[in-house]
Amino acid sequence: VSTQSTGNTIEYHTRCVDSIDILLKEVTDLSNLCFYQKFIQDSFQKCLERSDTAPYSVVYAGVCSHFINTCNDYCPEEHCFIGKKSIDLANHFLDMTAREAQRYLEQYCLERVAMHMVTHPSFGAQLMAEARNNKEKEAKKERPSPPIPLPGAESKKSRLEDMTPMDKNFAKMVSHLQALNTLPSLVVWQHTFAPREYIIHHLDELFNRLISQNIFQDGGQQIQLPSLMAHRLVGIMD
């Protein structure tokens, strides 16, 4: 046993000196996950749900590049099947990350538009009308209406660590965008993926949809006032 252990130690240390690249490839190979797709998909979904782990979600697409290592010369018919499976799964992971980033960005844009609209003169007119109505109700000894929140009220915090829903949404959006900007390219079975192209495609769809929604009044066919429409679009682009 001691002779065998000594021989294994000598072989290992020799490989560390002479073929470190091959040794690293062997110990870091994750090709066995090719046969546990349910596990890797569930892990990916849990990774996306948390803002502290979402920036590392791109590694799941990188793991797909290892799947082809399960093939060998004794079973060449599996080469094409496993290659296509790895490409489809990598495409799924990148597309899901981009979709989540698009979803959080859409929520953030809508909140920004709502915040931007309270700086429009029409909101000032609403405040003046509300103040006049409250004075009339006080004169008649009626209960006044609850005050309308003023611009900037959503930014007030008792502590810096307190996070508003908008802050949490912004953190999740940044973490997903960071994941797609980690690697400029990713090679899976002789196919090169560009993670940034996924988010660019979804951003195109998002901004086209947001602009078309803000051109018409309440989803109807009547076009918004130009000043109001421009004010909304500025809120989106901010």
Side-chain angles (χ1 to χ4, degrees), residues 42-204:
D42 291 344
S43 300
F44 171 75
Q45 196 62 40
K46 292 178 181 178
C47 180
L48 278 185
E49 292 172 357
R50 297 181 54 182
S51 58
D52 56 339
T53 58
Y56 310 105
S57 58
V58 71
V59 301
Y60 287 88
V63 168
C64 297
S65 63
H66 293 200
F67 291 173
I68 203 67
N69 295 336
T70 59
C71 299
N72 55 65
D73 297 335
Y74 298 102
C75 197
E77 64 273 10
E78 289 185 350
H79 193 86
C80 186
F81 173 75
I82 293 178
K84 289 181 178 179
K85 182 190 292 186
S86 60
I87 291 174
D88 291 342
L89 201 56
N91 179 69
H92 170 72
F93 288 148
L94 293 174
D95 189 61
M96 284 297 296
T97 305
R99 285 180 184 277
E100 286 295 302
Q102 179 199 35
R103 184 168 67 88
Y104 289 120
L105 183 59
E106 181 175 8
Q107 294 175 4
Y108 183 75
C109 285
L110 293 177
E111 290 173 351
R112 291 289 299 179
V113 169
M115 291 173 59
H116 202 66
M117 286 306 297
V118 299
T119 63
H120 193 264
S122 61
F123 184 77
Q126 185 181 355
L127 287 176
M128 294 173 64
E130 188 68 23
R132 185 183 60 185
N133 291 336
N134 285 337
K135 282 186 178 180
E136 292 177 355
K137 290 181 179 179
E138 288 177 0
K140 297 178 182 178
K141 296 183 179 180
E142 296 179 359
R143 186 175 182 181
S145 303
I148 300 175
L150 297 176
E154 70 283 343
S155 301
K156 293 182 180 179
K157 299 180 182 179
S158 57
R159 295 183 307 167
L160 185 62
E161 294 80 10
D162 295 338
M163 294 186 67
T164 63
M166 188 173 181
D167 294 334
K168 295 178 181 178
N169 186 49
F170 181 77
K172 290 181 179 179
M173 178 189 70
V174 170
S175 62
H176 286 76
L177 292 175
Q178 184 180 350
L180 294 169
N181 282 278
T182 302
L183 299 174
S185 61
L186 186 67
V187 180
V188 179
W189 196 49
Q190 300 178 357
H191 286 68
T192 302
F193 290 90
R196 293 178 186 175
E197 294 296 327
Y198 283 80
I199 189 59
I200 290 174
H201 170 70
H202 285 288
L203 286 181
D204 259 353

Side-chain angles (χ1 to χ4, degrees), residues 201-221:
H201 170 70
H202 285 288
L203 286 181
D204 259 353
E205 293 181 350
L206 172 62
F207 285 124
N208 287 334
R209 185 168 68 251
L210 289 176
I211 290 173
S212 62
Q213 287 175 357
N214 286 278
I215 289 177
F216 300 100
Q217 292 184 2
D218 301 326
Q221 297 299 320

Side-chain angles (χ1 to χ4, degrees), residues 11 13-25:
E11 181 192 8
H13 286 286
T14 304
R15 294 182 67 187
C16 286
V17 174
D18 297 335
S19 54
I20 186 66
D21 293 339
I22 298 175
L23 183 62
L24 284 174
K25 185 177 180 179

Side-chain angles (χ1 to χ4, degrees), residues 26-45:
E26 289 181 1
V27 298
T28 60
D29 184 60
L30 298 173
S31 57
N32 287 336
L33 290 176
C34 176
F35 306 106
Y36 301 95
Q37 287 198 25
K38 184 69 168 63
F39 168 76
I40 193 173
Q41 288 181 4
D42 291 344
S43 300
F44 171 75
Q45 196 62 40

